[in-house]
Amino acid sequence: SAAARRRPEGYRRPGGPEGVRRALLEEGAYTRYRAFQAANHARRAVRSTVRAGRRQAGALIRDHQYRAALRRPVDPHLAVFSAYWNRGVACNPAAIAAKLAELAPHIHPVWVVTARNAALLPPGTDHVVPGTRRYWETLATAKYLVNNVNFPNAVVKRPDAVHVQTHHGTPLKRMGLDQMAYPAAAQGLDFDALLERVDKWDYSVSANSHTTRMWERAYPSRYVSLDHGYPRNDVYYTAGADEVRAVRERLGIAPGRRAVLYAPTHRDYEAGFTPRLDLAALADRLGEDTVLLVRAHYFYDPGLTPLAGLRRSGRVIDVSSYDPVEELCLAADALVTDYSSIMFDYANLDRPIV
């Protein structure tokens, strides 16, 4: 067979089913090869069916557990927090949780965090992992549910529970129902399901009066708008020089050096991100005394020589995975951004924005 004729010298077949498949090809045993392939397909189909059955059974069990927990009374001393799709302690929910510990220490906070991010939690943080029995029991019985995105569609809004939607930005982009005319931005968003989630909100925290008007149009419902500014931005008014110095030290910014934070985002009318700034050229123009804090590592190939050299020289610091972002703003002498609503937060510092 062609497979046998073209076999490289010293070639050794792999073990397992792949080795059997290649042996049959080399022997020209095409009838047995087709039978072997058919058997493999059948085996994979059975495994897929078994896995689907297990998932379905697990979902039924979890639904039963959740429904049973919903029959229990609401715990007035329990609050659930989540941020950025269960990433960890961050953003407005984190600021609210911190103030809650100060003003109402009798209320116990529990964070929803993925198993992957649980190891990054501050020591002593009580948390639940999505999908677990305690996760559903906690969501079913908590008096307060605070999130900067939405909780899952399956979460029931109990009459005596309080849902607080804190959001996590200022709507420079089109959001919610405003995306209906822009399918590329909506990316298949289910607007009916979105409105059902919005109907569970009791309060919507707003950064400013512009945001309040935009949220009420993009997310129409009966919630109460709290037009008081974002809790996460309070730190810009409470942090002093010592806190700023400490953040800069953690980031490795030497005393006397200027720090510029570059924090762009994608544009909602484009399918992907189009880089509009040459970081190497910018770093050269700014000079040796300036450090670029770049919160955009996935926009650029890390192997690009100019940026790699800049990183080694200490003139570029990749802060794309650094949290909280408020500390990056405190550390930066100026902000360079492109289409990101971080500008509205940074404006609280009254520092230059480009």
Side-chain angles (χ1 to χ4, degrees), residues 20-40:
V20 175
R21 188 179 71 85
R22 294 189 187 186
L24 293 172
L25 281 175
E26 292 172 14
E27 295 169 10
Y30 301 122
T31 301
R32 282 190 290 157
Y33 175 83
R34 285 194 294 271
F36 181 74
Q37 289 290 82
N40 273 339

Side-chain angles (χ1 to χ4, degrees), residues 45-296:
V46 169
R47 287 177 178 174
S48 177
T49 302
V50 170
R51 284 195 296 266
R54 286 173 179 170
R55 284 196 297 269
Q56 187 176 17
L60 289 173
I61 292 172
R62 287 191 296 271
D63 183 66
H64 175 74
Q65 293 170 343
Y66 182 51
R67 297 294 162 181
L70 285 170
R71 291 193 290 270
R72 290 158 49 183
V74 167
D75 185 346
H77 300 140
L78 180 61
V80 178
F81 292 89
S82 180
Y84 296 120
W85 300 274
N86 310 324
R87 197 171 75 194
V89 179
C91 193
N92 293 311
I96 293 173
K99 184 59 69 171
L100 182 72
E102 176 187 331
L103 299 179
H106 59 282
I107 297 179
H108 179 67
V110 177
W111 281 85
V112 180
V113 185
T114 62
R116 178 181 179 183
N117 290 314
L120 304 177
L121 289 172
T125 303
D126 191 5
H127 70 282
V128 291
V129 174
T132 61
R133 179 169 186 161
R134 187 176 177 231
Y135 165 79
W136 287 111
E137 290 176 346
T138 302
L139 288 178
T141 57
K143 171 72 174 181
Y144 307 99
L145 293 92
V146 183
N147 206 331
N148 71 351
V149 291
N150 273 301
F151 286 101
N153 293 343
V155 171
V156 174
K157 173 63 171 73
R158 300 184 66 170
D160 43 354
V162 177
H163 285 234
V164 180
Q165 170 59 252
T166 74
H167 306 278
H168 56 272
T170 297
L172 180 61
K173 297 184 179 71
R174 294 176 179 86
M175 306 293 289
L177 296 190
D178 287 351
Q179 298 179 88
M180 292 184 72
Y182 302 90
Q187 295 180 343
L189 181 62
D190 185 337
F191 292 102
D192 290 333
L194 171 67
L195 289 175
E196 289 181 9
R197 292 191 294 270
V198 172
D199 279 343
K200 298 172 187 176
W201 302 355
D202 291 296
Y203 297 98
S204 170
V205 179
S206 177
N208 45 59
S209 57
H210 158 76
T211 300
T212 300
R213 291 194 296 272
M214 294 302 101
W215 289 157
E216 290 177 350
R217 185 182 74 195
Y219 304 116
S221 192
R222 294 167 294 180
Y223 56 79
V224 176
S225 293
L226 301 179
D227 193 347
H228 302 311
Y230 276 158
R232 70 184 185 189
N233 290 340
D234 290 355
V235 68
Y236 299 138
Y237 297 91
T238 59
D242 290 341
E243 287 88 346
V244 172
R245 273 194 295 270
V247 172
R248 288 170 66 93
E249 286 177 8
R250 283 197 290 274
L251 289 168
I253 304 170
R257 297 188 81 182
R258 180 173 53 193
V260 175
L261 174 60
Y262 176 55
T265 190
H266 67 280
R267 294 173 179 261
D268 53 1
Y269 52 82
E270 294 180 342
F273 179 78
T274 304
R276 290 178 167 82
L277 184 62
D278 186 331
L279 294 183
L282 176 62
D284 287 339
R285 186 68 63 89
L286 290 173
E288 296 287 343
D289 293 333
T290 300
V291 176
L292 272 178
L293 304 173
V294 180
R295 195 173 179 82

